[in-house]
Amino acid sequence: MFDALSEKLQATLADVRGRGTLTEDDIKKAMREIRLALLEADVNFKVVKEFTNTVRERCMGADIVGQLNPGQQVVKIVHEELEALMGGQSGDIVFSPRPPTVILMAGLQGSGKTTATAKLAKFLQKEHGSSVGVAACDVYRPAAVDQLVKVGGQVGATVYEQGTDRDPVDIARWALDQAKQDGKDVLIVDTSGRLHVDEKLMEELKNIRTAVRPHNILLVVDAMTGQDAVNVAEQFGAAVNFDGVIMSKLDGDARGGAALSVKAVTGKPILFASTGEKLDQFERFHPDRMAQRILGM
Amino acid sequence: LFEGDIDEDTWERLEEALIMADVGAQTTAKVVGQLEQEATEGGLVGGEALSQRLTELLADIARTGDGRIDVSHGPTVIMTIGVNGTGKTTTIGKLAWHLQKELGLTVVLGAADTFRAAAVEQLEQWSVRAGCEIVKGPEGSDPGSVAFEAVKRGREIGADVVIVDTAGRLHNQDHLMEELAKIRRVIGKQLADAPHETLLTVDSTTGQNGLRQAQLFSQAVPVDGIVLTKLDGTAKGGIALAIAAETGIPVKLIGIGEALEDLRPFDADDFAAALLSRGD
Ligand SMILES: Nc1nc2c(ncn2[C@@H]2O[C@H](COP(=O)(O)OP(=O)(O)OP(=O)(O)O)[C@@H](O)[C@H]2O)c(=O)[nH]1
Ligand SMILES: Nc1nc2c(ncn2[C@@H]2O[C@H](COP(=O)(O)OP(=O)(O)OP(=O)(O)O)[C@@H](O)[C@H]2O)c(=O)[nH]1
Ligand SMILES: [K+]
Ligand SMILES: [Mg+2]
Ligand SMILES: [Mg+2]
């Protein structure tokens, strides 16, 4: 792991490797390389700043200057700090002792909520043997209900839908009643995409939360997101205090620095990775692999 | 941005603002370097002048090629392509409404996303809103043949514009890129010089990967313009600047919401000014 970073840093430090010692200037240069790599990977500007500051301080503090094999030391410090940033407490779905366990999906338009709703249903059926219902609470986006009916049906979940004429909050409440009656273990509530600055729709999301009292609120974040990811996560956090993140579209070639940034800024764990359009392309998230990918230069 | 003395901090703040807008390190360095040089050479004095020159520089980069869409081909065939969930279908709906209801043109939609669940139903609802015809095939059918039939139908009824929707796809999946080229070829069999306009949708929340998207999509098929969607959020869509700088593909349209009227022509000056505006 971190071979690529290692190589890049070694190349940066090539001129001093012969001498075997590092000067303060060499460390500065290395920090510039790391900074660029992280920004290129869409890690948030502020997160990058803090990160490089910490690493720089540790490099100086560790008396690397003048030591043998200093390049290795720098890599080791970067490695450790990055793991600390990505890792920490890893989370899981919280199951309620009194089913159904309710999971509320939220996120920006097109981030992958509806797809993830079906994928998570399939995942929980397979991993936990749960019987799952899904609720169609997106009444705005054309054919959103049809979409959930199809993908929910494909994974064998019961789809609770009432078309598009009722209020999403009412549909959510009704779906929960139905799921209880049907003895479901899990109810996953799909919601419409919304901007974190859309007051009306953020209010609606809060009302859905109040109506179904979810045990888990998951924010679906597109892995291709840039610097705005932090804004989005902070504001969804402020509105509904979500519990964890699903990173979607990780089958692309984006480095996914948004993942690291959301984790760093909100402290919320990334629980799942969505890695394709097929409904079984869904897995637990591995922070170490992600860290490697972000620095894969 | 340029309040107080112009010093090292000023350039750092500017760099920060551009990076935060997703302009990317490379394009940012270029812009900041240029402005700093002009300032040291003494050509620019005072915050006002710097600010104005900066917006000018950014707008110049953003303004590449012709931003217009020519719809005089009778029928003009437009194809939308792009990564999953970026806003292809919604853009088509808005565009169809604009052409049909506001410009009085006759539009036919082709539902060539035969892959994603309920993609056809989604486009169908937009066709109702826009008051135009739609040509569709069964789910899972060949997208090329749906596109072919749509163009054929457009010619039959003497439509002005045919807009073909395609399934979202990631640019790093070669077989899906090849499929796009194939759809294009099939359209060309129905109407020799079609499609006349291929639009790539780029979500303005996209980070540095957006440049790869533009590069790889345009390797697969010629891309005539970018539609920068979802600019109604807090994201500035700065990646479009990097795309313009590196590929020369012009941004033609912007999406600023989910309603029928939320499509606008791209304005480089407005875009440049908004890139640096703080808070929303
Ligand atoms: N390649 C890839 N595509 C995905 C993934 N997850 C979702 N998609 C696609 O992304 C697009 C949007 O997904 P949806 O599930 O409809 O997203 P949404 O958040 O429900 O969208 P709205 O309801 O419109 O806000 C669709 O084309 C999905 O097939 C993924 O992990 N990989
Ligand atoms: N706020 C906002 N939302 C938009 C805009 N354009 C599209 N959307 C929303 O983004 C989501 C995805 O839009 P679609 O048009 O389905 O995207 P697509 O590229 O066709 O998606 P796939 O076909 O699944 O790849 C929907 O919820 C749209 O309503 C925009 O300009 N602003
Ligand atoms: K904006
Ligand atoms: Mg949805
Ligand atoms: Mg679509």
Side-chain angles (χ1 to χ4, degrees):
Chain A
M1 162 165 199
F2 293 119
D3 283 354
L5 169 70
S6 201
E7 259 168 49
K8 180 99 179 189
L9 280 181
Q10 295 297 343
T12 309
L13 305 170
D15 48 332
V16 284
R17 252 197 313 184
R19 283 184 276 130
T21 55
L22 274 188
T23 64
E24 238 181 271
D25 269 358
D26 297 327
I27 290 176
K28 260 194 197 151
K29 199 167 140 206
M31 289 314 122
R32 271 202 298 274
E33 290 289 331
I34 295 169
R35 177 177 176 275
L36 274 179
L38 294 176
L39 287 176
E40 196 56 35
D42 296 316
V43 179
N44 183 266
F45 187 87
K46 286 172 186 145
V47 176
V48 172
K49 216 173 190 173
E50 262 168 50
F51 182 83
T52 47
N53 279 344
T54 311
V55 172
R56 183 184 297 113
E57 268 161 35
R58 275 196 64 191
C59 285
M60 301 299 192
D63 290 330
I64 281 180
V65 178
Q67 290 240 333
L68 281 180
N69 269 335
Q72 241 71 11
Q73 298 277 356
V74 175
V75 173
K76 186 166 162 278
I77 291 172
V78 172
H79 179 164
E80 285 169 7
E81 287 300 324
L82 202 64
E83 268 203 344
L85 211 56
M86 284 298 296
Q89 210 84 318
S90 66
D92 206 342
I93 293 288
V94 175
F95 287 91
S96 166
R98 288 181 38 213
T101 292
V102 179
I103 304 170
L104 178 61
M105 308 290 267
L108 294 182
Q109 287 91 345
S111 56
K113 295 172 294 301
T114 305
T115 307
T117 298
K119 286 177 168 186
L120 182 58
K122 190 178 170 81
F123 181 90
L124 294 176
Q125 285 164 354
K126 188 163 162 265
E127 294 272 306
H128 298 270
S130 314
S131 66
V132 184
V134 298
C137 295
D138 180 357
V139 300
Y140 308 111
R141 139 120 186 240
V145 175
D146 301 308
Q147 185 189 359
L148 188 64
V149 166
K150 285 195 181 173
V151 292
Q154 277 169 33
V155 298
T158 305
V159 183
Y160 300 112
E161 62 100 355
Q162 294 192 305
T164 56
D165 294 334
R166 290 191 71 191
D167 187 272
V169 181
D170 295 333
I171 298 174
R173 198 179 288 117
W174 166 83
L176 179 56
D177 283 343
Q178 295 298 306
K180 277 181 190 158
Q181 273 176 33
D182 295 349
K184 294 291 174 194
D185 300 315
V186 177
L187 175 71
I188 311 178
V189 180
D190 185 26
T191 62
S192 73
R194 66 200 73 219
L195 289 171
H196 49 297
V197 287
D198 186 329
E199 281 172 32
K200 201 170 137 255
L201 284 184
M202 290 309 278
E203 196 56 39
E204 179 197 274
L205 191 62
K206 289 187 208 170
N207 292 337
I208 294 177
R209 180 185 58 170
T210 310
V212 299
R213 304 227 248 128
H215 308 92
N216 306 266
I217 303 179
L218 301 183
L219 183 70
V220 182
V221 179
D222 186 326
M224 287 172 275
T225 317
Q227 297 288 321
D228 203 38
V230 159
N231 266 335
V232 173
E234 278 178 338
Q235 297 205 37
F236 269 93
V240 294
N241 190 24
F242 62 88
D243 303 288
V245 172
I246 297 177
M247 285 302 280
S248 69
K249 308 180 198 174
L250 267 166
D251 44 325
D253 57 3
R255 293 275 177 73
L260 192 142
S261 308
V262 168
K263 171 73 174 65
V265 168
T266 65
K268 304 294 185 190
I270 298 159
L271 302 181
F272 299 103
S274 194
T275 57
E277 292 192 81
K278 296 204 194 81
L279 298 175
D280 57 358
Q281 293 175 317
F282 189 78
E283 55 199 56
R284 283 185 201 286
F285 181 81
H286 301 288
D288 49 344
R289 286 183 211 166
M290 197 63 211
Q292 187 174 24
R293 174 178 176 141
I294 287 167
L295 282 173
M297 290 182 285
Chain B
L1 214 48
F2 297 110
E3 282 156 20
D5 291 339
I6 306 300
D7 52 19
E8 201 52 39
D9 271 2
T10 313
W11 306 117
E12 254 175 48
R13 277 204 308 275
L14 173 56
E15 190 195 60
E16 174 172 348
L18 290 171
I19 298 262
M20 291 293 267
D22 291 316
V23 170
Q26 212 170 330
T27 310
T28 294
K30 231 185 271 175
V31 172
V32 177
Q34 170 88 26
L35 194 69
E36 198 173 348
Q37 191 190 337
E38 290 183 22
T40 15
E41 280 167 4
L44 301 167
V45 184
E48 189 75 5
L50 274 172
S51 179
Q52 211 172 345
R53 178 66 186 135
L54 172 62
T55 314
E56 227 172 73
L57 278 173
L58 294 170
D60 280 347
I61 299 174
R63 200 181 293 117
T64 71
D66 189 354
R68 285 171 306 180
I69 297 172
D70 178 5
V71 287
S72 65
H73 297 278
T76 297
V77 179
I78 301 174
M79 182 169 154
T80 60
I81 60 175
V83 159
N84 309 77
T86 46
K88 295 171 290 299
T89 307
T90 307
T91 298
I92 293 179
K94 298 178 201 170
L95 186 58
W97 176 81
H98 173 70
L99 295 170
Q100 179 98 24
K101 290 277 168 81
E102 293 194 310
L103 299 185
L105 301 175
T106 306
V107 179
V108 172
L109 302 185
D113 179 356
T114 56
F115 180 74
R116 209 211 65 213
V120 175
E121 288 83 347
Q122 185 187 1
L123 190 69
E124 198 163 23
Q125 289 197 26
W126 280 108
S127 76
V128 172
R129 292 179 181 181
C132 65
E133 243 188 74
I134 180 170
V135 172
K136 52 190 186 180
E139 203 172 294
S141 62
D142 176 49
S145 67
V146 177
F148 183 90
E149 290 303 323
V151 177
K152 188 165 159 230
R153 179 66 187 155
R155 297 182 73 186
E156 274 167 17
I157 67 167
D160 300 296
V161 181
V162 178
I163 316 179
V164 177
D165 192 15
T166 63
R169 65 198 71 221
L170 290 175
H171 50 287
N172 60 334
Q173 279 158 8
D174 295 343
H175 64 290
L176 294 181
M177 289 294 110
E178 176 46 38
E179 185 190 74
L180 275 185
K182 193 182 147 212
I183 295 172
R184 224 188 127 83
R185 285 196 296 275
V186 175
I187 290 174
K189 278 185 194 148
Q190 174 57 236
L191 187 61
D193 51 350
H196 307 93
E197 188 79 30
T198 302
L199 297 174
L200 175 71
T201 50
V202 175
D203 184 327
S204 58
T205 62
T206 310
Q208 297 313 299
N209 189 245
L211 181 56
R212 294 279 297 162
Q213 294 175 21
Q215 285 166 336
L216 292 184
F217 269 99
S218 60
Q219 257 172 42
V221 293
V223 175
D224 302 293
I226 305 282
V227 183
L228 191 57
T229 62
K230 309 184 195 176
L231 264 177
D232 45 325
T234 48
K236 311 279 190 187
I239 192 61
L241 206 67
I243 293 174
E246 300 294 321
T247 70
I249 304 170
V251 182
K252 294 198 170 179
L253 299 167
I254 60 168
I256 52 163
E258 298 178 85
L260 283 165
E261 63 277 9
D262 290 336
L263 191 69
R264 298 272 186 284
F266 175 72
D267 182 311
D269 298 312
D270 288 352
F271 174 74
L275 263 185
L276 295 159
S277 72
R278 259 171 295 188
D280 265 1

